Amino acid sequence: MEEQMTFWDHLDVLRGSIIKVLVAGVLMGIGAFCLKDLLFDVVLWPRAADFPTYKLLGAEPFQLKLINTELTEQFMIHMKVALVAGLLVASPYIIYVLFRFISPALYEGERRVSIRVGGAAYLMFLVGLLVNYFLIFPLTVRFLGTYSVSEDVETLLTLSSYVETLLLMCLLFGIVFEIPVVAWLLAKLGVLKAEWMSRYRRHAIVAILIVAAIITPTADIMTLLVVSMPIWVLYEVSIWIVKITQK
């Protein structure tokens, strides 16, 4: 029989887990910091006219310039982006360490469910990041970056504005893509029914269009539909998941 751990023993284990998480994040962040050219080739690619999404949609060529307005801005953005990239690369190990700390307090069935839910949530978050990077953000930055109220006004975006918008939208869409996982949990708890979601589908579609219009404030109907489509697909998938869960 395993010896029962005291409160201080748990604190020691927690401290060790936190140290491992910090070390992994910092090491991966340092690695990303050293790979500056590759890192910012990826970050700045959506502003280029040769980005795959623009070619696929047949968008007209455009030019978008980024400027730096503060002495320390580029260095601080370099550190911020490298840290985020490091955490993203180290995230599988971080999740593993956290699960190792929590799992002893769970029953066998709870461990299995936790692994499935955590794995699905992590996968959907990554899918949300990719959808935003390859679809949502490029359309947003192209519209807002080339929008002009007059030919006499030249648009010059700051590097910080571009990077912060990209990181924020990646986070938002990572969270949005958790809708199927949340729907499954609510259905498991008996809070959500597939019949309700089907009944209010038209209301949901209107809400999705409003959200898409807020995210990409454009008068281009095609762009609005392209942005709305992934969110609508998530809603339909959630209905299917809830229906299976009820059975």
Side-chain angles (χ1 to χ4, degrees):
M1 180 180 296
E2 295 183 2
E3 183 180 353
Q4 188 171 1
M5 296 176 63
T6 66
F7 173 76
W8 299 109
D9 292 333
H10 283 294
L11 283 183
D12 287 337
V13 175
L14 176 60
R15 182 180 60 182
S17 300
I18 293 175
I19 291 174
K20 291 178 181 178
V21 168
L22 292 177
V23 170
V26 170
L27 288 178
M28 292 299 102
I30 292 174
F33 187 87
C34 295
L35 298 173
K36 182 182 68 172
D37 293 339
L38 176 61
L39 181 64
F40 279 90
D41 282 346
V42 174
V43 171
L44 300 179
W45 195 17
R47 58 171 278 279
D50 63 345
F51 193 70
T53 303
Y54 305 137
K55 292 182 178 181
L56 184 63
L57 297 178
E60 297 180 358
F62 68 99
Q63 186 176 11
L64 186 61
K65 294 182 179 180
L66 297 179
I67 62 172
N68 177 58
T69 59
E70 297 180 11
L71 181 62
T72 61
E73 183 176 29
Q74 293 198 60
F75 179 74
M76 296 304 296
I77 288 176
H78 185 188
M79 291 186 62
K80 180 188 295 185
V81 174
L83 179 60
V84 172
L87 290 174
L88 185 60
V89 173
S91 57
Y93 176 73
I94 293 174
I95 293 173
Y96 170 75
V97 170
L98 295 178
F99 179 76
R100 282 288 302 272
F101 173 74
I102 297 173
S103 60
L106 304 176
Y107 293 109
E108 184 62 30
E110 293 173 337
R111 289 195 189 98
R112 290 197 297 268
V113 172
S114 299
I115 291 173
R116 293 174 183 174
V117 173
Y122 180 69
L123 179 61
M124 292 304 297
F125 187 85
L126 292 182
V127 172
L129 295 185
L130 293 176
V131 169
N132 176 67
Y133 179 79
F134 284 104
L135 182 64
I136 310 301
F137 181 71
L139 297 177
T140 301
V141 76
R142 180 181 180 274
F143 174 77
L144 295 179
T146 59
Y147 184 83
S148 177
V149 295
S150 173
E151 295 181 355
D152 297 329
V153 180
E154 183 180 4
T155 301
L156 295 175
L157 296 180
T158 63
L159 177 62
S160 62
S161 174
Y162 175 91
V163 171
E164 288 173 3
T165 302
L166 172 60
L167 296 179
L168 177 61
M169 290 186 65
C170 282
L171 177 62
L172 290 177
F173 272 88
I175 294 174
V176 167
F177 269 67
E178 300 297 334
I179 291 176
V181 180
V182 174
W184 179 84
L185 287 174
L186 293 178
K188 202 72 173 176
L189 296 173
V191 178
L192 190 62
K193 302 292 184 182
E195 294 78 10
W196 302 343
M197 299 181 70
S198 299
R199 184 185 309 164
Y200 294 103
R201 179 183 278 108
R202 287 179 295 178
H203 301 78
I205 292 175
V206 173
I208 290 170
L209 290 173
I210 293 174
V211 171
I214 294 174
I215 295 174
T216 55
T218 172
D220 185 1
I221 300 298
M222 181 58 67
T223 301
L224 182 63
L225 292 177
V226 169
V227 174
S228 304
M229 187 62 65
I231 306 177
W232 174 72
V233 170
L234 287 174
Y235 186 82
E236 295 298 329
V237 169
S238 298
I239 294 177
W240 176 72
I241 290 175
V242 171
K243 188 177 298 184
I244 293 178
T245 305
Q246 289 177 200
K247 293 181 180 180

